Amino acid sequence: KLMLDKNGWVTKLDKACRATKILCSGDDVKYPSGTYVMLYEGEGEIQLLAPIGVIRKTGQGRLEIDVDSKRGMFAIDLISTNPQNPMRNIRVIAPGLESSYQDNPWHPAFLKRWAGVASIRVMDMMATNHSTQMLWENRPKPEDVSYAEKGVPVELLVDLANRLGTDVWFCMPHLANDEFIKQFAMVVKRNLKPQLHAWVEYSNELWNGGFDQYDYAAKQGQALKLSNNVWEGAFLYNAKRSVEIFKIWEAVFGGDDRLVRVMASQASNGWLSFQLLKAPDVLAHTDVLAIAPYIAMNVPITADDGVLSAAKVAKWNLDQVFEYINTVALPDANRWIDENKQVADAYGVKLVAYEAGQHLVGVSGAEKNDNLSRLLINANQDVRMGEVYANHLKHWQTAGGDVICMFNSTQGWSPYGSWGLLQNYNDSASESPKFKSV
């Protein structure tokens, strides 16, 4: 077990022990090659885990690493550290950015690519799903050794929104107490540019039994006797706690002019949207109904709908995939939009999408079918996928939908889903019909 300080830096290594930190990895590694600069405080020794380059000491607390990304993942090993002056505050800076990283921690190519979006929903950047955050003192902090576990600190998320000139959509951890919510809102109020809005949502998909936050909401709903039904208790608690969170933000901001208060529902269940908006006190503190109208093609091992099964779909060609999308999946998604727009209109709130895009993926073990996975990934690369997105977005606009957040920006495609509009930081628009269409 590693001995760590409050920010996660290693204070002492046992004999014959090393500590590894993976910086850039993946099955198809495409991070930038070049000369990285590593700055640090204290005393210790670093090695590369894989033979991807050469480390040179170029001054006190400064190393240069010539990296060839084609040779594998970028990971460093701390092999020794002085317990009296431990190696800490390690910063690994991308090529060419040593002189600017303190003033601007974001890569300029990243900022340029996403400039102009209407809103950024930072659910994954906050590590929202299965979060254990409860107390403000245990929140993610800028000085933490890594943001991979707790998420990106709110200070950086606000900074990103300011630099992009975009609204920012926060997902409050499901366990966070009132003081956490208050302090978080205060940081946003102090630092977010006044012309930008803070979107506020309670956690993520509290109707979804696959997440810890659903289990928590279900237990709270039962404890408060909101319903005898577990699932109903969960969504009623979602409504109740959402309103409590909205009121805290309203108090901090002195009103709701700079807030967008989000009540999220299940796209395929207009009844749930209706129940959430009519729950006590919700309408007085809610601005938008949010859904995720995915173009869904979830392929199980066995055909529970009489149509899709891994063995069957794996034998399809791309023409058959797009026939299913255009005759079943896309019409379903568009119908969900229409049904929820009717609910939103009935209660006088806007309809937005917290997530959207294609949802082609093997489920319940079907992700292990290599032929199926290859087919679905190829479908995401096909020019027709761009046409599907265009038709979907056109319907969203025609139906009167407001902000739509596509899930997600950049992520490698795999048997577990081809979620990224782009797969790598340096992909061009022409390499992703989805990205080009959006």
Side-chain angles (χ1 to χ4, degrees):
K1 183 176 181 179
L2 289 172
M3 287 165 274
L4 309 173
D5 68 12
K6 64 179 182 179
N7 296 319
W9 301 105
V10 178
T11 58
K12 182 181 179 181
L13 281 172
D14 288 336
K15 187 177 181 180
C17 180
R18 60 177 59 206
T20 300
K21 173 59 65 178
I22 298 173
L23 300 175
C24 299
S25 67
D27 295 332
D28 186 16
V29 180
K30 285 193 177 181
Y31 62 90
S33 295
T35 300
Y36 287 74
V37 172
M38 182 186 298
L39 305 177
Y40 62 92
E41 298 172 20
E43 299 173 343
E45 185 178 356
I46 291 285
Q47 289 182 351
L48 293 174
L49 181 64
I52 61 168
V54 177
I55 298 179
R56 299 188 304 274
K57 187 166 185 177
T58 54
Q60 182 60 39
R62 187 181 188 277
L63 303 173
E64 289 186 356
I65 311 173
D66 294 328
V67 172
D68 180 359
S69 64
K70 295 179 181 178
R71 300 176 68 181
M73 72 175 180
F74 189 0
I76 57 174
D77 272 354
L78 179 67
I79 63 170
S80 68
T81 192
N82 183 349
Q84 279 70 50
N85 186 21
M87 197 170 185
R88 62 197 181 277
N89 195 18
I90 301 170
R91 289 141 288 158
V92 182
I93 304 164
L97 300 179
E98 183 180 7
S99 63
S100 61
Y101 85 95
Q102 287 181 301
D103 295 327
N104 179 10
W106 307 95
H107 199 292
F110 172 79
L111 294 178
K112 182 179 180 181
R113 167 151 281 162
W114 301 110
V117 298
S119 181
I120 48 171
R121 184 172 183 258
V122 291
M123 181 270 293
D124 273 338
M125 294 181 79
M126 291 181 66
T128 301
N129 294 324
H130 315 291
S131 173
T132 59
Q133 291 181 50
M134 182 184 299
L135 305 176
W136 181 245
E137 54 263 36
N138 296 328
R139 72 192 183 280
K141 303 178 182 67
E143 60 269 23
D144 286 348
V145 64
S146 169
Y147 306 147
E149 183 177 349
K150 291 183 179 181
V152 179
V154 59
E155 294 87 347
L156 281 169
L157 297 174
V158 172
D159 180 74
L160 175 59
N162 287 339
R163 292 180 190 277
L164 289 176
T166 182
D167 288 354
V168 56
W169 182 329
F170 299 108
C171 296
M172 295 291 94
H174 66 280
L175 297 176
N177 64 15
D178 287 356
E179 184 63 19
F180 183 109
I181 303 299
K182 177 183 176 181
Q183 294 295 332
F184 192 106
M186 289 173 65
V187 172
V188 177
K189 183 177 186 293
R190 283 195 304 267
N191 296 288
L192 187 65
K193 288 181 178 179
Q195 69 270 28
L196 302 179
H197 294 84
W199 293 55
V200 186
E201 178 185 2
Y202 178 39
S203 189
N204 175 61
E205 293 192 351
L206 282 104
W207 51 265
N208 188 337
F211 294 130
D212 289 351
Q213 54 263 33
Y214 165 80
D215 294 334
Y216 174 79
K219 291 175 182 176
Q220 294 299 309
Q222 294 295 290
L224 294 170
K225 301 187 185 304
L226 299 179
S227 174
N228 293 325
N229 179 276
V230 175
W231 185 69
E232 187 173 278
F235 73 69
L236 289 175
Y237 180 76
N238 174 23
K240 180 180 184 299
R241 183 56 180 157
S242 293
V243 170
E244 293 170 354
I245 289 171
F246 298 156
K247 288 180 177 179
I248 294 172
W249 279 76
E250 291 162 13
V252 169
F253 273 72
D256 58 13
D257 289 348
R258 296 184 59 202
L259 303 177
V260 180
R261 298 159 296 177
V262 180
M263 186 61 63
S265 182
Q266 184 179 17
S268 61
N269 193 340
W271 178 87
L272 175 59
S273 302
F274 176 78
Q275 299 300 319
L276 285 166
L277 291 180
K278 78 169 189 175
D281 217 15
V282 165
L283 208 54
H285 298 276
T286 296
D287 301 297
V288 299
L289 170 67
I291 60 172
Y294 277 112
I295 305 160
M297 183 177 166
N298 299 328
V299 184
I301 293 179
T302 57
D304 54 8
D305 63 357
V307 177
L308 301 180
S309 70
K312 178 180 178 181
V313 176
K315 298 177 182 178
W316 283 5
N317 57 36
L318 287 174
D319 290 342
Q320 291 170 292
V321 171
F322 281 99
E323 180 182 5
Y324 181 89
I325 290 173
N326 287 310
T327 60
V328 179
L330 184 57
D332 280 349
N334 290 342
R335 174 171 51 82
W336 299 338
I337 292 170
D338 296 341
E339 291 173 353
N340 281 279
K341 185 64 169 65
Q342 290 179 3
V343 176
D345 287 348
Y347 283 94
V349 298
K350 293 181 178 180
L351 180 68
V352 302
Y354 65 86
E355 292 174 15
Q358 62 76 42
H359 201 291
L360 277 59
V361 63
V363 297
S364 303
E367 61 272 17
K368 297 177 182 178
N369 186 314
D370 292 341
N371 290 334
L372 173 66
S373 297
R374 193 176 304 111
L375 175 69
L376 300 183
I377 289 173
N378 287 341
N380 274 269
Q381 295 173 322
D382 195 285
V383 66
R384 287 171 287 186
M385 186 60 78
E387 297 167 359
V388 169
Y389 269 56
N391 290 332
H392 189 44
L393 290 167
K394 183 177 180 180
H395 183 90
W396 173 263
Q397 187 175 30
T398 302
D402 202 78
V403 168
I404 182 168
C405 288
M406 310 307 294
F407 189 84
N408 55 15
S409 54
T410 307
Q411 183 180 359
W413 301 350
S414 78
Y416 300 96
S418 301
W419 307 115
L421 290 175
L422 300 171
Q423 296 190 70
N424 298 287
Y425 84 100
N426 60 348
D427 284 353
S428 66
S430 62
E431 292 177 293
S432 178
K434 297 188 297 186
F435 178 82
K436 187 174 182 180
S437 181
V438 171

